[in-house]
């Protein structure tokens, strides 16, 4: 019997928003007789798949969940005391239920339109403040992907800064202390190699740091749990001009002297133990904090405080937040995402517990470790860490006396070598757990121990060098919301300030804000998936490993490729990984000199940034007036660089939303001259089931699982960017120092965890299993249908910039608003802000062409929702015409003043020439379902001139304008 019976409702009918009843009217608007005719006019016939995808039949939602429970049972949830940067923790139920499992939080888009994102921006600035306070640093960003990535980003940032220092301008060495986590060391090696940095791993206690080093990194506490005094070493490094990174345990900093107080220039780490599930390695929010003078060099997203048009406090992303889109190959990082949802959870964990609660949790963990240390010494064991926070390093004749006993008791320790065991305790460790650990060691040494509960007594103090004396989390946000009622209301108050998919469609081109189905997300919270340590033994994670194998096979079927790596944990990380694999292929074939990457001028900004990070020289290929790659220019440049050509990076369908007819010819040109083709998978959702990267001639692609395969954006992250490759590239897929992954000639790790953000791979697995071959293909067809329907409705009112040979677009299209600025001084930003008054998030603004809107409706939206959005844009076009006709003031009009807040609309005075009603209720449907932006238009230049990246002082919450605050 098939996995799904004929009586079982298909998930496809839930995922695809357009009904069969609406299909004829939509096709008529487009001007075709059938959906097949539209697809035939859109996708070149030479690249069409000849047969359906070879995937399992679709499963109904109930049947899928039941089958997944069987898979989950193959994972064994042991108590893991492995440590290594990951710790089990307690996720407060008020946070799990109201944030992690709440579509009002996980379906939000990246806060590029800040007026609709004040809630999550406040939550992220809480996270930044928490990190700054605990690390003792001046500024922090709003998270990176993982600790290893954050450490590598710190290395690259400090190299750029050191290049401006006469002491270190020629330095290319980076010292990595052997105290560092092995996965961090591996990711640093990965990043350093293409850039020509020499990574030197050694003992900080006897290392000689001279002017050939631009930076160093230390772990605090060390990977084995020891806490060292790094002051003398840091002074030596600073004396020769080198900068210092400290990778720190955030919870430990509640008790230990923060790195900012003993000389660190950058502090990085993982915030996972602040209420974020283990999830077999992710997603987790890394933190990155540094000194004030480095803020303009800091990678990733930084949340700052500015003012709106009414001089009210308003949050926004600040400084170089999207600098890779602007600077392209000159960018210092390819970071395009964050782990926003997880950073929000970690920040809320600090809000809920407050300074006293965080200190209590840290003390409890430390006292548990001290109690365990005391009891093990009574049994005659030697514990090697003189000073520690939560981790013991225990010596014994052979760890094999302990290992089987621990496994039999459902425990995982870290086996450092043949005679040393590491034991890392955590927030979930109870006194009876300590007793159970002691009994294992007693049994191993043939002794008996009492079974009574231990008392966690003793004074929680460190020697003065290590004892934290400075305060933290002093802002009122961390001292107010400690009852569940108050916390629930605070979370809800922030959620109400944000527009998400719970309100309306989010029509962003290149960002695919499709349905994130509840059934897909439900298992992420199951303990069999959420409470697994990333370095748990393989026989305990057979459910995960089977899921990975199946997902890799599914993605290979869909892309037409031979092998996959699930390790890259963002789209930009996938780009980088794909290029590293190409680089390693050329090197292995004796062509290490091949380092030229051809990239079309229309490419996503992360493409050239990723290429440079992978050690490539970027050569830009021209596009014609229709937005297509100029094949003659491509051929000319491929021939010109024939001896050094490494790759072509190309997005397909193009960034302009068009299936370029000559794509196979382009790929052939690159192969002719010895290069390989990297296909950016940002627009793969227009290919699935109809064509494929392999069909067009690519050798490797990354897949934005958070776009095509329904992982939620979560306010700007999590995401996943696995890569699929042809057979000749499979040997080079990334490995990992802790678990067997990748090919037999694997490159070093690109992420801290072996399979990246493992727990959210469940979502994409569910998406494919429930849709099956027919469903994933229909999703593509209806995405193309919805885009062409919106185009048909809007092209009478706005010019469409690019379209294919038959006048069709792929899954997205671009409206050209540039003439409006010339005619009536209406900017594209004015239209974007006015859409907020209609209850919609703006499409992608000024990308890939300045002065345009790129619209992508996705297959999950109904005709009714598409019509509401079209009606809004048409109404705005009429408002623009009122300015042109002299019926509206050219300066004081609904567009220039948008968005309009409730505070303004209900104020005593109204000085505009248009009515309040026109401002806030421009169309009929808005009256029934009004989303109110919580702030007016934000003053971006003010925020960049007056940088403040921590929670503003309490007095700024008064109605007076925000004062200028530096830092």
């Amino acid at each position: 019997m098939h996995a799904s019976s004929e009586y079982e409702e298909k998930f496809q009918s839930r995922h695809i928003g357009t009904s069969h009843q609406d299909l004829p009217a939509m096709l008529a608007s487009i001007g075709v007789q059938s959906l097949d005719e539209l697809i035939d006019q859109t996708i070149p016939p030479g690249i069409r798949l000849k047969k359906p995808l070879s995937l399992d039949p679709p499963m109904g939602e109930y049947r899928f969940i039941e089958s997944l429970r069987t898979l989950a049972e193959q994972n064994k949830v042991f108590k893991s005391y492995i440590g290594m940067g990951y710790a089990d923790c307690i996720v407060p139920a008020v946070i799990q239920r109201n944030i992690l499992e709440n579509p009002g939080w996980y379906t939000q888009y990246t806060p590029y339109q800040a007026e609709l994102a004040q809630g999550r921006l406040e939550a992220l600035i809480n996270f930044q403040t928490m990190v700054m306070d605990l690390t003792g640093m001046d500024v922090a960003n709003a998270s990176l992907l993982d600790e290893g990535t954050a450490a590598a980003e710190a290395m690259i940032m400090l190299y750029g800064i050191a290049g401006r220092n006469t002491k270190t301008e020629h330095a290319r060495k980076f010292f990595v202390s052997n105290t560092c986590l092995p996965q961090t060391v591996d990711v640093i090696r990965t990043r350093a190699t293409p850039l020509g940095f020499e990574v030197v791993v050694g003992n900080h206690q006897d290392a000689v740091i001279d002017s050939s080093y631009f930076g160093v990194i230390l772990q605090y506490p060390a990977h084995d749990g020891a806490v060292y005094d790094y002051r003398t070493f840091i002074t030596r490094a600073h004396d020769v001009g080198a900068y210092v990174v400290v990778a720190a345990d955030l919870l430990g900093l509640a008790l230990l002297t923060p790195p900012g107080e003993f000389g660190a220039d950058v502090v990085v780490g993982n915030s996972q133990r602040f209420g974020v599930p283990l999830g077999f390695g992710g997603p987790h929010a890394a933190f990155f904090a540094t000194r004030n003078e480095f803020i303009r060099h800091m990678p990733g997203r930084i949340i700052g405080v500015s003012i709106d048009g009414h001089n009210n406090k308003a949050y926004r992303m600040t400084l170089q937040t999207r600098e890779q889109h602007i600077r392209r190959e000159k960018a210092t990082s390819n970071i395009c995402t964050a782990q926003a949802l997880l950073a929000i959870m970690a920040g809320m964990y600090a809000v809920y517990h407050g300074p006293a609660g965080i200190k209590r949790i840290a003390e409890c963990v430390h006292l548990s470790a001290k109690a365990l240390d005391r009891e093990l010494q009574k049994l005659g064991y030697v514990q090697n860490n003189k000073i520690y926070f939560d981790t013991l390093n225990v010596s014994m004749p052979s760890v094999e006396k302990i290992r089987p006993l621990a496994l039999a008791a459902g425990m995982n320790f870290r086996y450092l070598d043949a005679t040393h065991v590491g034991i890392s305790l955590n927030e979930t460790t109870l006194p009876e757990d300590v007793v159970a650990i002691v009994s294992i060691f007693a049994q191993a040494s043939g002794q008996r121990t009492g079974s009574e509960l231990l008392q966690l007594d003793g004074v929680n103090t460190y020697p003065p060098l290590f004892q934290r004396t400075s305060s933290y989390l002093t802002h009122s946000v961390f001292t107010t919301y400690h009852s569940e009622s108050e916390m629930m209301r605070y979370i809800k108050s922030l959620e109400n300030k944000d527009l998400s998919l719970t309100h309306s469609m989010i029509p962003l081109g290149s960002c695919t804000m499709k349905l994130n189905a509840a059934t897909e997300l439900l298992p992420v919270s199951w303990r069999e998936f959420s409470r697994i340590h990333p370095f748990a033994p393989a026989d305990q994670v057979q459910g995960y490993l089977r899921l990975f194998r199946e997902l890799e096979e599914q993605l290979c079927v869909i892309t037409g490729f031979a092998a996959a790596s699930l390790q890259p944990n963002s789209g930009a990380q996938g780009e980088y990984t794909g290029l590293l694999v190409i680089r390693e292929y050329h090197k292995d074939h004796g062509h290490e000199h091949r380092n030229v990457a051809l990239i079309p001028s229309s490419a996503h900004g992360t493409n050239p940034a990723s290429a440079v990070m992978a050690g490539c020289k970027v050569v830009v290929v021209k596009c014609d007036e229709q937005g297509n790659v100029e094949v003659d220019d491509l051929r000319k440049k491929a021939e010109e660089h024939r001896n050094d050509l490494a790759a072509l990076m190309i997005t397909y369908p193009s960034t302009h939303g068009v299936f370029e007819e000559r794509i196979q010819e382009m790929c052939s040109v690159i192969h002719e001259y010895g290069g390989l083709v990297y296909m950016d998978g940002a627009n793969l959702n227009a290919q699935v089931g109809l064509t494929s990267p392999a069909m067009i001639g690519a050798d490797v692609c990354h897949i934005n699982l958070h776009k095509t395969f329904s992982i939620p954006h979560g306010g700007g992250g999590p995401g996943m960017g696995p890569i699929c490759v042809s057979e000749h590239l499979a040997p080079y897929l990334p490995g990992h120092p802790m678990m067997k992954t990748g090919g037999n000639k694997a490159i070093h790790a690109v992420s801290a965890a072996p399979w990246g953000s493992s727990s959210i791979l469940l979502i994409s697995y569910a998406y494919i299993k429930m849709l099956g071959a027919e469903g994933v293909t229909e999703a593509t067809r209806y995405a193309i249908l919805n885009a062409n329907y919106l185009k048909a409705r809007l092209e009478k009112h706005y010019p469409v910039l690019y379209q294919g040979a038959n006048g069709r677009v792929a899954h997205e299209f671009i409206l050209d608003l540039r003439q409006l600025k010339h005619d009536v001084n209406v900017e594209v930003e004015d239209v974007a802000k006015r859409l907020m008054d209609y209850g919609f998030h703006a499409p992608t603004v000024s990308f890939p062409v300045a002065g345009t809107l790129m619209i992508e409706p996705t297959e999950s939206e109904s005709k009714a929702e598409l019509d509401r959005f079209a009606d809004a844009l048409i109404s705005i076009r009429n408002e623009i015409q009122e300015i042109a006709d002299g019926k509206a003031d050219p300066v004081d009009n609904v567009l220039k003043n948008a968005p309009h807040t409730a505070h303004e609309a209900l104020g005593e005075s109204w000085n505009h020439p248009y009515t309040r009603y026109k401002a806030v209720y421009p169309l009929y449907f808005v009256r029934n379902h009004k989303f109110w932006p919580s702030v007016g238009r934000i003053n971006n230049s003010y925020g960049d001139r007056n940088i403040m990246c921590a929670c503003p002082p309490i007095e700024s919450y008064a109605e007076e304008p925000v004062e200028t605050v530096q830092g």
Side-chain angles (χ1 to χ4, degrees):
M1 183 177 180
H2 286 303
S4 179
S5 77
E6 60 181 301
Y7 299 106
E8 195 170 19
E9 183 176 40
K10 288 186 176 180
F11 176 67
Q12 175 181 321
S13 66
R14 300 297 190 185
H15 177 78
I16 295 175
T18 304
S19 69
H20 290 296
Q21 292 87 339
D22 289 327
L23 185 58
M26 297 176 71
L27 294 172
S29 294
I30 296 168
V32 292
Q33 297 297 314
S34 67
L35 186 49
D36 287 339
E37 182 184 352
L38 173 63
I39 299 302
D40 289 342
Q41 292 180 6
T42 303
I43 303 179
I47 61 168
R48 292 288 299 277
L49 295 177
K50 301 298 187 284
K51 57 183 180 179
L53 297 171
S54 179
L55 297 172
D56 290 339
M59 302 177 75
E61 294 180 66
Y62 174 76
R63 189 183 296 272
F64 170 74
I65 287 295
E66 290 305 302
S67 72
L68 195 65
R69 290 194 187 282
T70 302
L71 191 69
E73 290 169 0
Q74 296 178 32
N75 291 331
K76 301 172 185 176
V77 185
F78 279 32
K79 287 187 176 291
S80 284
Y81 304 110
I82 299 171
M84 299 185 70
Y86 302 95
D88 202 2
C89 63
I90 298 169
V91 184
V94 67
I95 295 175
Q96 176 170 325
R97 192 169 181 84
N98 291 292
I99 295 179
L100 177 62
E101 298 172 352
N102 180 354
W105 282 94
Y106 64 68
T107 68
Q108 301 161 343
Y109 181 58
T110 306
Y112 295 137
Q113 295 292 331
E115 294 85 353
L116 296 179
Q118 289 297 293
R120 98 196 70 134
L121 287 166
E122 180 174 330
L124 289 171
I125 213 164
N126 291 346
F127 174 82
Q128 288 180 179
T129 304
M130 171 191 80
V131 170
M132 290 157 59
D133 282 4
L134 288 169
T135 60
M137 302 303 286
D138 301 327
V139 292
N141 70 15
S143 86
L144 291 176
L145 300 174
D146 56 43
E147 183 169 338
T149 302
E153 290 285 344
M155 171 184 69
I156 294 168
M157 182 189 86
L158 293 180
Y159 173 74
I161 294 169
R164 299 172 176 84
N165 185 330
T166 54
K167 284 186 177 181
T168 53
E169 59 184 330
H170 302 297
R172 298 194 72 85
K173 288 184 182 176
F174 188 72
F175 178 80
V176 179
S177 169
N178 57 13
T179 61
C180 290
L181 298 169
Q183 66 269 26
T184 297
V185 177
D186 215 45
V187 174
I188 286 173
R189 288 190 191 280
T190 304
R191 291 290 192 94
T193 301
L195 300 174
F197 302 162
E198 181 183 348
V199 174
V200 178
V201 180
N203 187 333
H204 72 277
Q205 294 173 320
D206 54 24
V208 177
I209 304 299
D210 56 29
S211 60
S212 66
Y213 288 88
F214 66 86
V216 306
I217 184 170
L218 307 159
Q219 194 86 36
Y220 181 72
H223 74 86
D224 63 358
V227 176
Y228 294 101
D229 175 14
Y230 291 125
R231 287 171 173 82
T232 300
F233 176 80
I234 290 173
T235 299
R236 294 205 317 267
H238 283 161
D239 285 345
V240 297
Y243 296 102
V244 177
V245 184
V246 175
D249 182 315
L250 203 59
L251 186 63
L253 299 185
L255 304 180
L256 294 165
T257 303
E261 295 178 13
F262 59 74
D265 299 297
V266 181
V267 185
V268 299
N270 187 356
S271 65
Q272 176 267 315
R273 67 189 308 170
F274 274 48
V276 178
L278 283 166
F280 201 38
H284 306 144
F287 61 86
F288 188 112
T290 189
R291 302 196 177 282
N292 256 333
E293 58 263 38
F294 301 154
I295 189 171
R296 294 182 185 274
H297 305 278
M298 186 162 55
R301 296 177 182 155
I302 308 166
I303 311 305
V305 183
S306 188
I307 56 174
D308 71 1
H310 310 290
N311 281 341
N312 295 313
K313 172 178 59 66
Y315 301 107
R316 59 183 280 273
M317 294 198 294
T318 193
L319 295 175
Q320 77 294 350
T321 291
R322 296 190 78 188
E323 62 107 28
Q324 81 280 2
H325 290 289
I326 301 165
R327 301 190 67 209
R328 298 174 66 82
E329 67 272 14
K330 295 183 175 63
T332 55
S333 170
N334 75 335
I335 289 292
C336 185
T337 190
Q339 297 286 24
L341 184 69
L342 299 313
I344 287 166
M345 289 179 65
M348 287 297 186
Y349 181 91
V351 169
Y352 191 43
H353 289 297
I358 295 297
K359 185 175 183 181
R360 175 187 56 77
I361 293 166
E363 287 181 333
C364 186
V365 171
H366 181 54
L367 289 174
S368 295
K370 288 180 71 173
L372 178 60
D373 186 6
R374 184 174 63 246
E375 295 302 313
L376 292 180
Q377 288 188 51
K378 288 180 184 177
L379 294 172
Y381 289 96
V382 175
Q383 200 286 116
N384 299 292
N385 292 338
K386 295 179 181 178
I387 300 173
Y388 54 85
F389 167 54
D390 63 354
T391 300
L392 308 181
N393 178 353
V394 185
S395 296
M396 62 197 61
S398 171
V399 299
E400 294 310 319
K401 286 192 172 184
I402 293 292
R403 193 195 308 260
L405 296 173
L407 292 173
M411 297 182 199
N412 292 320
F413 299 138
R414 182 184 175 199
Y415 301 98
L416 292 154
D417 55 36
T419 58
H420 292 86
V421 173
I423 310 171
S424 296
L425 305 188
N426 57 68
E427 182 187 7
T428 71
T429 306
L430 302 173
E432 51 265 41
D433 296 319
V434 177
V435 170
I437 295 170
V438 172
S439 68
I440 287 172
F441 280 81
Q443 188 178 351
S445 60
Q447 302 179 66
R448 290 188 175 185
T449 183
S451 60
E452 72 280 356
L453 291 180
L454 291 178
Q455 296 298 313
L456 301 185
D457 51 10
V459 180
N460 205 341
T461 58
Y462 288 99
L465 274 177
F466 302 100
Q467 180 74 38
R468 178 163 194 151
T469 57
S470 54
S471 58
Y472 50 86
L473 305 182
T474 57
H475 191 276
S476 61
V477 74
F478 300 110
T479 58
T480 303
Y481 306 108
H482 299 160
S483 75
E484 183 166 333
S485 294
E486 290 299 322
M487 185 67 178
M488 174 185 66
R489 290 168 188 151
Y490 177 60
I491 292 172
K492 192 65 180 178
S493 72
L494 297 190
E495 180 192 340
N496 289 343
K497 295 178 180 179
D498 278 30
L499 187 140
S500 69
L501 285 177
T502 63
H503 298 95
S504 58
M505 66 182 288
I506 300 179
L508 285 141
S510 237
C511 290
T512 320
M513 297 293 293
K514 63 170 68 177
L515 171 72
N516 313 123
T519 300
E520 295 162 358
L521 286 147
L522 194 65
V524 174
S525 297
W526 293 358
R527 68 190 303 271
E528 294 89 350
F529 295 116
S530 67
R531 296 193 67 182
I532 303 286
H533 193 283
F535 306 142
D539 63 353
Q540 295 173 21
V541 293
Q542 288 302 300
Y544 258 125
L545 296 179
R546 180 182 147 194
L547 183 148
F548 297 156
R549 286 194 299 272
E550 287 191 35
L551 182 58
E552 288 174 1
E553 289 168 2
Q554 292 163 349
L555 297 178
C556 286
V557 167
I558 288 167
T559 59
F561 285 136
S565 170
L566 302 175
Q567 193 175 121
N569 51 8
S570 79
Q573 192 89 308
E575 292 175 15
Y576 175 66
T577 306
L579 289 169
L580 288 183
V581 166
I582 289 174
R583 182 180 183 275
E584 194 67 17
Y585 169 86
H586 287 313
K587 178 182 176 183
D588 193 38
H589 287 76
H591 300 142
E592 190 170 2
H593 59 280
R594 288 190 174 272
N595 67 345
V596 170
L598 302 184
I599 302 179
S601 60
S602 62
H604 195 271
T606 55
N607 283 186
S610 295
V612 170
M613 286 177 56
C616 293
K617 174 187 174 185
V618 172
V619 174
V620 177
V621 179
K622 297 175 185 176
C623 289
D624 63 24
E625 292 183 356
Q626 285 73 47
N628 298 316
V629 174
E630 287 192 6
V631 180
D632 290 344
D633 190 54
L634 175 73
R635 182 177 292 277
K636 174 187 172 185
K637 284 169 178 169
E639 185 174 7
E640 180 183 344
H641 298 282
R642 61 190 307 156
N643 295 325
D644 299 314
L645 181 62
L648 166 70
M649 292 188 78
I650 190 161
T651 303
Y652 199 75
S654 73
T655 310
H656 296 142
V658 174
F659 283 96
E660 297 191 40
E661 299 279 335
R662 300 174 70 182
I663 183 63
Q664 289 175 308
E665 181 183 351
M666 295 181 221
C667 295
S668 296
V669 167
I670 300 304
H671 291 145
E672 178 185 342
Y673 291 106
L676 298 179
V677 177
Y678 176 92
M679 195 206 84
D680 184 315
N683 297 337
L684 186 68
N685 56 306
Q687 287 195 39
V688 177
L690 301 178
T691 182
S692 73
M695 176 66 79
I696 71 169
D699 300 280
V700 54
C701 76
H702 85 268
I703 304 170
N704 290 330
L705 294 184
H706 49 289
K707 294 180 179 180
T708 302
F709 295 99
S710 274
I711 292 175
H713 277 63
M720 279 289 281
I723 64 169
C724 294
V725 299
S726 296
E727 189 173 356
H728 53 279
L729 292 179
Y732 312 104
L733 291 173
H736 195 276
M738 302 305 300
M739 306 281 275
K740 170 60 180 163
T741 67
N744 56 16
K745 297 180 180 181
I747 62 172
H748 286 289
V750 295
S751 299
W755 289 275
S757 296
S758 303
S759 66
I760 56 173
L761 292 172
L762 283 159
I763 300 164
S764 298
Y765 176 77
Y767 175 90
I768 298 170
K769 292 291 279 188
M770 290 192 293
L771 283 174
E774 178 189 346
V776 296
T777 304
E778 286 299 283
T780 307
R781 282 156 53 88
Y782 275 83
I784 293 171
L785 169 74
N786 287 356
N788 280 278
Y789 174 68
L790 270 185
K791 170 183 173 286
R793 285 214 57 196
L794 293 172
E795 63 187 349
K796 307 177 189 70
H797 307 276
Y798 301 90
V800 174
L801 190 56
Y802 302 117
Q803 45 198 318
N806 298 309
R808 304 302 176 204
V809 295
H811 62 303
E812 63 188 6
F813 61 99
I814 299 174
L815 296 182
D816 190 352
L817 276 62
R818 290 174 292 185
Q819 189 62 33
L820 296 177
K821 180 177 181 181
H822 177 270
D823 293 345
V824 290
N825 195 33
V826 169
E827 308 264 4
V828 65
E829 183 184 24
D830 299 326
V831 176
K833 303 307 180 188
R834 180 57 173 158
L835 269 169
M836 298 178 187
D837 289 329
Y838 289 79
F840 286 106
H841 195 292
T844 303
V845 175
S846 289
F847 176 82
V849 180
T852 66
L853 292 175
M854 183 160 63
I855 299 171
E856 180 177 355
T858 87
E859 71 274 11
S860 297
E861 300 302 340
S862 65
K863 178 178 180 296
E865 184 69 2
L866 299 178
D867 284 335
R868 278 191 288 272
F869 178 69
D871 290 346
L873 274 177
I874 292 167
S875 177
I876 290 172
R877 185 63 185 87
N878 292 335
E879 291 170 347
I880 295 169
Q881 192 61 40
E882 290 175 356
I883 301 172
D885 295 341
K887 297 177 181 177
D889 189 283
V891 176
D892 191 1
N893 58 64
V894 288
L895 283 104
K896 290 295 182 183
N897 295 326
H900 298 83
T901 64
H903 181 78
E904 180 187 10
L906 297 173
E908 291 184 8
S909 61
W910 182 262
N911 300 317
H912 303 302
Y914 52 92
T915 67
R916 301 175 196 243
Y917 200 84
K918 182 179 180 68
V920 302
Y921 292 135
L923 281 177
Y924 66 96
F925 62 79
V926 185
R927 296 192 290 272
N928 299 325
H929 185 61
K930 176 67 179 175
F931 177 86
W932 290 97
S934 57
V935 296
R937 192 175 306 195
I938 293 174
N939 186 328
N940 291 321
S941 59
Y942 178 96
D944 281 345
R945 291 195 313 270
N946 304 279
I947 300 169
M948 184 168 73
C949 298
C951 295
I954 192 66
E955 55 269 21
S956 73
Y957 286 84
E959 292 189 3
E960 292 82 10
V962 176
E963 295 181 3
T964 299
V965 182
Q966 295 295 333

